[in-house]
Amino acid sequence: MKEDIAQRRSVLYPIKLKKVDGRVYWNLNIPGYPAKRLPSVIKNEINSILSLKTGTVNTLIFALTKKCGLNCAHCFEWNEINKKEALSDSDVQLILRKYITDASPSQVLLSGGEPFNRYNLMLQLIAEHSQKGVDFWIISSGKGATLERLVHLKKQGLIGLIISIDHYLPAFHNQFRGSYRSFAEALEAIRLARQLNLVTTVSVCPQKGKVTEEFVQKYLEFAKSLRVQFVQIIEPRNKGRYDKKDMELTTEDQQVLESVYQLYNSDSSYDDFPIIQYPDFNRRRFGCLGGISLAYLDTNGKLNACPFCEGIECCE
């Protein structure tokens, strides 16, 4: 038991802390301190270590919309993108209200498609549930994130933005996202988020065979220059648009990422760099958190263990 706890602490909880707007953050899956629901998150983590299921999750990802103006190479919702919305505003409100009542998540991450396509709905959801101690984040490409909108969202209780940037060079990112404006839109969203003192994350999906120490180091230098608090590394899966394409990272790719992840999160020489979140590093050691501390509601209102799983049981 002691060895398990020590190992979890060494890889799950980096020693770095980031203070934003009066709260201290160290992990994207845990609300910043102080937080009304933090005690329940700690209880869930203890139960996870003891292999006890609680029936609650820390983080819910809710895909609000099928609409998106990009053409991303790796889109895991590709089979649903830009189809007619399956859920009305009232459907979404009822589903989230019931889920928060039944499962008591500490955080809700609003995604899509591009969630800013349903800005008014996001405003209503955050206004209703942030008063209950639920932290709200938005996962976005940056498209549609204007100053006026972010001001209103923060006023209602928005905590942070997770903005996808898949390369530090604009041309590569734009090609990957299928839009020559995507990189500029992402940078503007980050600039506005930092201006408003929102917790800010850049999320990167590294590409198979293209993961080198030089790429990762330059990407982290780039993220540092943006003054974001977190960098999230999401490995590609053979799902959605990548279905049957063998796009998952090689062992060599993973080793590069794991080495950098451990070094930058533990060596005090890198304290001024963002905290790195790397879910697949932990998944390979402890198993997927999908259905345990994470859940995903897709654009049809179906509950899944995570964005890459079908149904409430993890696919691994």
Side-chain angles (χ1 to χ4, degrees):
M1 175 64 68
K2 289 182 179 180
E3 291 180 359
D4 187 30
I5 293 174
Q7 186 183 20
R8 282 173 177 262
R9 288 183 63 189
S10 68
V11 298
L12 287 173
Y13 304 115
I15 61 174
K16 288 197 256 186
L17 302 173
K18 301 292 181 180
K19 188 173 183 180
V20 184
D21 212 16
R23 295 173 68 182
V24 178
Y25 297 84
W26 62 95
N27 189 300
L28 281 177
N29 295 316
I30 299 176
Y33 175 85
K36 182 177 180 180
R37 299 198 176 205
L38 187 56
S40 66
V41 175
I42 295 171
K43 179 181 177 181
N44 287 349
E45 175 60 20
I46 293 172
N47 286 332
S48 176
I49 293 172
L50 297 175
S51 298
L52 299 176
K53 289 192 174 182
T54 63
T56 64
V57 298
N58 297 335
T59 301
L60 171 69
I61 304 173
F62 196 168
L64 297 181
T65 178
K66 301 175 185 289
K67 304 305 179 186
C68 184
L70 298 182
N71 189 22
C72 301
H74 65 326
C75 180
F76 62 82
E77 280 280 6
W78 183 247
N79 295 328
E80 298 296 327
I81 287 297
N82 291 323
K83 290 183 178 180
K84 182 180 178 180
E85 299 287 15
L87 303 175
S88 67
D89 286 6
S90 59
D91 290 335
V92 171
Q93 290 168 328
L94 287 171
I95 290 170
L96 185 58
R97 195 173 295 141
K98 177 174 174 54
Y99 191 91
I100 288 177
T101 299
D102 292 347
S104 300
S106 61
Q107 301 190 126
V108 174
L109 281 55
L110 303 176
S111 71
E114 172 50 63
F116 277 99
N117 285 317
R118 296 185 88 168
Y119 161 72
N120 289 328
L121 176 58
M122 289 198 298
L123 203 62
Q124 295 167 12
L125 297 175
I126 295 171
E128 177 179 352
H129 298 290
S130 63
Q131 298 176 11
K132 304 171 187 175
V134 180
D135 282 0
F136 276 85
W137 297 68
I138 296 174
I139 303 174
S140 171
S141 66
K143 193 176 185 65
T146 65
L147 177 60
E148 181 182 13
R149 285 179 166 187
L150 291 177
V151 166
H152 289 309
L153 288 163
K154 182 175 182 181
K155 184 177 180 180
Q156 297 303 328
L158 179 67
I159 293 297
L161 289 184
I162 300 174
I163 302 295
S164 298
I165 301 184
D166 295 298
H167 206 289
Y168 53 85
L169 295 176
F172 285 90
H173 172 83
N174 289 340
Q175 181 181 30
F176 191 67
R177 294 274 162 176
S179 169
Y180 71 92
R181 296 187 299 269
S182 183
F183 191 83
E185 290 169 341
L187 289 192
E188 177 63 5
I190 290 169
R191 185 187 71 80
L192 294 174
R194 296 295 299 118
Q195 177 182 328
L196 296 174
N197 217 14
L198 291 165
V199 188
T200 314
T201 300
V202 289
S203 183
V204 56
C205 180
Q207 297 302 289
K208 180 179 181 180
K210 298 181 180 179
V211 180
T212 64
E213 287 189 12
E214 179 183 18
F215 168 78
V216 180
Q217 290 168 358
K218 284 187 176 181
Y219 188 92
L220 293 174
E221 288 282 357
F222 163 70
K224 176 186 173 184
S225 73
L226 298 177
R227 300 186 300 116
V228 300
Q229 287 79 34
F230 291 95
V231 169
Q232 180 175 244
I233 300 171
I234 301 294
E235 292 186 10
R237 299 288 188 90
N238 299 329
K239 301 287 184 178
R241 199 169 188 179
Y242 276 168
D243 187 32
K244 301 177 182 178
K245 291 188 178 181
D246 190 23
M247 300 300 291
E248 296 187 4
L249 299 186
T250 66
T251 300
E252 291 74 18
D253 292 334
Q254 293 170 352
Q255 287 173 345
V256 171
L257 292 171
E258 291 192 358
S259 176
V260 172
Y261 165 74
Q262 293 176 90
L263 176 64
Y264 278 67
N265 273 353
S266 62
D267 190 323
S268 60
S269 302
Y270 301 98
D271 279 352
D272 55 347
F273 280 78
I275 298 169
I276 304 174
Q277 296 285 139
Y278 187 12
D280 286 289
F281 177 93
N282 302 320
R283 177 179 62 83
R284 284 190 280 274
R285 287 154 179 80
F286 307 115
C288 182
L289 295 178
I292 300 174
S293 64
L294 171 74
Y296 177 67
L297 275 164
D298 66 24
T299 57
N300 294 312
K302 180 182 176 182
L303 183 63
N304 303 279
C306 82
F308 302 110
C309 297
E310 290 288 337
I312 60 174
E313 294 296 328
C314 183
C315 58
E316 296 188 344

